[in-house]
Amino acid sequence: MNDRLLEETLYHVANGYIGVRGCFEEGHKGESIRGCYINGFYDTVPLNYPEKLYGFPDEAQRLVNLPDVQTIRLFMDGEEFSLFSGEVLGHKRKLDTQKGVTYRDILWKNEKGTFEIKITRMASFVHPELFLIVYSVKSVDFSGEIELACNINCDVSNFTDENDPRVASEKIKHIFMDTNKIVGDVSIVECKTAVSKLGLSICRQFVAGGDIAHFATKNGCETRIKSKILPNQSLTTEVYTILSDTRRRNNPTQHALEKLNECFNLGAENLLQGQADFLADFWMCARVDIGGCDELNDGMEFNLYQLLQSAGRDGISNVASKGVSGEGYEGHYFWDTEIYIFPFFLFTQPETAKQLLRFRLNTLDGARNHAIVMGHKKGALYPWRTISGSECSSFFPAGSAQYHLTGDVAHAFIQYYYATDDLDFMQYGLEVLLETARLWLDTANLGSDRKYHIHSVTGPDEYTCCVSDNYYTNRTAQHNLLGAVEVYARLKKAGLHSFASDKINFDESELLEFARVGNAMFLPYDEKLGIHAQDSSFLTKPVWNLDDTPKEKFPLLLHYHPLYLYRFQVCKQADTVLSHFLFEDGVSEDVLRKSYLYYDKITTHDSSLSVCVFGIMASRLGFYEKAYSYFSETVRGDLDNTHGNTKDGLHVANLGGSWLAVACGFAGLRLRKNGLHFRFSLPKQWEEYSFRVRYHGSLLKVSVGKESKVELLSGGSVTVFIDGVETKIK
Ligand code: BGC
């Protein structure tokens, strides 16, 4: 794979709102995915089916590649700089996760002279609309004129690949320029998306070391900065670009201008310092230290930083499966957030976790509508993939049929409640829990065995679709039903239940139904093998021979028809094993172990959401070598491009999985109703490791080594369970 495309992802700068890929300012020769995005800023695209059946969505949303705001061309006495001309004496790139910036350092020469070019980029966490570039050119031995041309270019389109179902296939232009003008020193470009008619405003201003001139151009705006320089002199330019959009602001241009004014007055130095301060706070809670292994430490730091870059914090956006780093999966939000990403934020930045839940709360109407379309009389069914809340999945067997997502959302709300006891928020969150529980009531059927069964759903494993009684789904539904009863009771005791229950006409008799169905949920178990069956027919199928499958046939989804895959025992990703991680209560050690060993043999890990889970369960069961090898694969996933498609964006769920692998894997963290539980293990390759956890407003440091301990860094005392023993941390 083209390393440059990979680097564009790895060096992107983002802040959960905007994301700009790490392309070269001066442009590329050859392929590049020159991308700039706003989380949740989409266009609507028609979904065309030759045979369209009832309820298939008519349209989907697609993350829009926005006008290019990263182009800066550099001329020396009219001669253009490029890495593909002259002589490149040095070129280094760096991501600084402590300062929150990327750097490019270039030493370059042509027949006119030698130049040092230094470029710093930042997507501000403090002012999420701001993308800042500080561009500096120093002459080593050149005397003459330096000129910069900085563009906002609206002639852009999305990246497409006809041969990969994980990226868009047809070329459509999604964004058009409405106006472009220069007002004083400010360039203003206003755009609209083609079909969704969302508005975007881009405002830009410069601190320039030379003569400056602005132009409105055919496709946007251009600013030219000129200066004469001598050897040892530099020209430094600060480019302040603000992006604002109509999903968040009524008048994005006015907002962008106000923000621009604020940021411009603060100046680059203050803004960069603000970013470093923000990150110091972030790392205070998020830091993971692995003693004895720099490579893994770097990997962890990269991953956690990318999680921060990816997470929407405004309740309007969520965490796309690729963050804001690329166009894979078209910027959609999946269950990746609730199961893989949310826990990291819950335990390190609960405010962000709350915003992620607010997104689900804000899109509850979409989930209610989706339930109706899918034939339900009541309840809320969250769509498999979405941006604004409606279903965007055009392939229902591995899409809309994944009902478990609804239970995953409920699980996240319940975890939030356990970790924070934030009843103020939960009084609103209760609506989600009740509506999702109603969905299961409407979906499960009472069988002749007096158990409740769920038919025609797909579990997490997308190589096995539309089945009865997927263990993961049934277990998730059960947790949702019983969790709704529990949270309702707690809120009622606090007098905080009526906001939600009045709003949805909730009758307390429904709670009895929830409990009855939840307690009698069927959970498939195979006596002979002593394992939980993935679903009611899974174990009757032939086992796929993975050993004899040629390497080039992976991932299987790109080489076999789905129906062919569905007829075998072969898993794309963790399914029953994931359920055992999330819901261990009531499952014996023997079943946990046998199930793990069974599914480990038939899982391809073709999805990046898989290895971390197997690693966590391997730790849990004492298969330490295996746990370590899965962890190593997880932690370097994007850095080593193990799935071969990081060019399309990061695998954000896997990044979250690397934190889970340390906290829930090696340290055995589980959050239960009665508190935090740990079960420590230390990989033999490490001297020690530590991480931090926020719980009920306190900050704890968990250190595992020759001596393991949990310390209180701030807040009130906390009770935790270490190997089942209750311990007060004060
Ligand atoms: C996985 C899904 C996941 C999606 C987005 C698919 O390959 O099978 O579980 O939600 O990718 O990351």
Side-chain angles (χ1 to χ4, degrees), residues 517-696:
V517 176
N519 285 319
M521 187 63 74
F522 176 73
L523 298 170
Y525 174 71
D526 186 273
E527 294 279 351
K528 218 164 95 214
L529 295 169
I531 65 172
H532 281 127
Q534 187 169 300
D535 59 68
S536 59
S537 63
F538 188 78
L539 297 173
T540 65
K541 299 175 183 176
V543 173
W544 183 289
N545 185 343
L546 283 177
D547 291 338
D548 289 348
T549 308
K551 259 202 160 87
E552 61 280 7
K553 292 285 190 189
F554 293 93
L556 302 182
L557 70 112
L558 295 185
H559 304 278
Y560 298 90
H561 191 281
L563 267 184
Y564 186 74
L565 294 171
Y566 299 168
R567 295 194 186 111
F568 288 88
Q569 285 189 54
V570 62
C571 303
K572 182 179 177 191
Q573 62 204 100
D575 192 305
T576 309
V577 172
L578 173 59
S579 180
H580 284 168
F581 159 45
L582 299 176
F583 310 110
E584 182 182 315
D585 290 352
V587 187
S588 73
E589 288 292 311
D590 198 44
V591 173
L592 289 179
R593 190 171 40 82
K594 286 186 175 145
S595 302
Y596 168 87
L597 291 171
Y598 190 86
Y599 291 105
D600 194 35
K601 283 208 197 82
I602 55 170
T603 303
T604 59
H605 307 297
D606 282 349
S607 158
S608 64
L609 280 66
S610 195
V611 281
C612 62
V613 177
F614 274 83
I616 292 167
M617 284 311 283
S619 292
R620 166 67 185 82
L621 295 162
F623 302 129
Y624 296 122
E625 284 302 314
K626 206 73 210 238
Y628 196 76
S629 112
Y630 278 135
F631 170 71
S632 311
E633 200 178 327
T634 303
V635 81
R636 305 269 321 164
D638 279 316
L639 284 171
D640 294 344
N641 191 21
T642 50
H643 281 261
N645 62 351
T646 296
K647 72 169 192 347
D648 298 319
L650 298 165
H651 298 80
V652 185
N654 179 64
L655 303 174
S658 66
W659 187 86
L660 290 173
V662 174
C664 304
F666 300 130
L669 168 65
R670 300 287 184 278
L671 173 62
R672 303 214 169 91
K673 189 175 170 177
N674 65 351
L676 294 174
H677 292 244
F678 296 96
R679 198 190 254 260
F680 300 137
S681 66
L682 178 67
K684 69 173 192 299
Q685 293 83 346
W686 300 353
E687 288 147 26
E688 60 190 352
Y689 64 95
S690 68
F691 61 97
R692 284 133 201 248
V693 170
R694 283 175 72 183
Y695 178 73
H696 282 218

Side-chain angles (χ1 to χ4, degrees), residues 295-331:
E295 213 194 22
L296 291 180
N297 258 325
D298 290 350
M300 278 308 287
E301 194 165 306
F302 174 85
N303 292 356
L304 304 182
Y305 182 74
Q306 298 301 352
L307 284 167
L308 178 70
Q309 290 211 107
S310 305
R313 275 178 281 274
D314 53 15
I316 291 172
S317 57
N318 198 270
V319 189
S321 60
K322 305 289 176 187
V324 255
S325 66
E327 295 167 34
Y329 287 125
E330 302 179 65

Side-chain angles (χ1 to χ4, degrees), residues 194-325:
V195 184
S196 59
K197 302 291 175 210
L198 296 180
L200 166 76
S201 300
I202 305 173
C203 296
R204 175 177 266 189
Q205 204 169 349
F206 295 79
V207 172
D211 300 337
I212 186 160
H214 307 284
F215 311 91
T217 61
K218 184 166 153 249
N219 292 313
C221 287
E222 180 168 288
T223 296
R224 290 204 164 238
I225 298 156
K226 265 191 210 165
S227 179
K228 292 247 184 284
I229 61 172
L230 298 171
N232 269 327
Q233 284 184 341
S234 326
L235 171 70
T236 298
T237 302
E238 298 167 2
V239 189
Y240 297 74
T241 307
I242 301 285
L243 294 101
S244 180
D245 74 282
T246 52
R247 287 207 71 200
R248 277 86 173 174
R249 304 282 163 185
N250 292 333
N251 186 340
T253 304
Q254 191 191 331
H255 176 72
L257 286 170
E258 284 163 14
K259 261 284 155 199
L260 183 60
N261 192 32
E262 184 186 346
C263 293
F264 193 78
N265 286 335
L266 279 167
E269 207 180 312
N270 279 324
L271 290 164
L272 290 165
Q273 186 56 49
Q275 182 89 335
D277 294 345
F278 180 97
L279 282 158
D281 287 347
F282 168 73
W283 288 116
M284 160 85 105
C285 300
R287 118 152 314 107
V288 172
D289 287 310
I290 299 173
C293 190
D294 287 350
E295 213 194 22
L296 291 180
N297 258 325
D298 290 350
M300 278 308 287
E301 194 165 306
F302 174 85
N303 292 356
L304 304 182
Y305 182 74
Q306 298 301 352
L307 284 167
L308 178 70
Q309 290 211 107
S310 305
R313 275 178 281 274
D314 53 15
I316 291 172
S317 57
N318 198 270
V319 189
S321 60
K322 305 289 176 187
V324 255
S325 66

Side-chain angles (χ1 to χ4, degrees), residues 316-532:
I316 291 172
S317 57
N318 198 270
V319 189
S321 60
K322 305 289 176 187
V324 255
S325 66
E327 295 167 34
Y329 287 125
E330 302 179 65
H332 291 163
Y333 313 130
F334 295 76
W335 70 310
D336 305 29
T337 303
E338 280 74 17
I339 298 301
Y340 291 82
I341 299 161
F342 177 82
F344 165 73
F345 288 109
L346 180 63
F347 288 119
T348 62
Q349 283 204 319
E351 314 74 36
T352 301
K354 178 153 94 181
Q355 292 303 323
L356 297 175
L357 296 181
R358 277 188 59 228
F359 169 82
R360 295 297 186 183
L361 196 54
N362 291 339
T363 54
L364 184 55
D365 279 341
R368 281 190 272 250
N369 289 339
H370 185 47
I372 292 169
V373 171
M374 298 296 278
H376 295 285
K377 286 176 279 314
K378 57 183 172 187
L381 176 65
Y382 280 94
W384 173 241
R385 48 194 292 176
T386 191
I387 292 181
S388 76
S390 60
E391 179 61 281
C392 292
S393 160
S394 58
F395 182 61
F396 76 86
S400 308
Q402 295 203 44
Y403 270 43
H404 65 86
L405 186 142
T406 291
D408 302 329
V409 169
H411 178 254
F413 275 87
I414 297 166
Q415 289 273 297
Y416 178 79
Y417 159 63
Y418 287 166
T420 63
D421 204 34
D422 177 358
L423 298 187
D424 276 352
F425 177 70
M426 285 309 294
Q427 64 174 320
Y428 306 110
L430 180 64
E431 189 184 350
V432 169
L433 289 179
L434 298 177
E435 286 287 48
T436 49
R438 278 174 165 174
L439 188 273
W440 298 116
L441 220 54
D442 199 63
T443 311
N445 299 306
L446 186 61
S448 53
D449 55 356
R450 311 302 302 156
K451 292 279 182 192
Y452 283 89
H453 297 264
I454 298 178
H455 299 294
S456 300
V457 292
T458 298
D461 165 30
E462 296 183 353
Y463 289 169
T464 310
C465 290
C466 298
V467 293
S468 287
D469 289 323
N470 167 255
Y471 177 85
Y472 180 94
T473 308
N474 289 18
R475 197 74 173 85
T476 313
Q478 178 180 55
H479 181 69
N480 189 163
L481 287 159
L482 301 179
V485 176
E486 183 188 329
V487 175
Y488 185 94
R490 174 79 163 91
L491 286 165
K492 186 164 182 198
K493 210 163 149 203
L496 291 171
H497 64 299
S498 26
F499 175 83
S501 60
D502 290 354
K503 189 166 170 212
I504 59 169
N505 243 332
F506 186 76
D507 186 315
E508 285 191 2
S509 65
E510 292 180 66
L511 293 173
L512 296 175
E513 292 287 285
F514 291 174
R516 193 165 53 76
V517 176
N519 285 319
M521 187 63 74
F522 176 73
L523 298 170
Y525 174 71
D526 186 273
E527 294 279 351
K528 218 164 95 214
L529 295 169
I531 65 172
H532 281 127

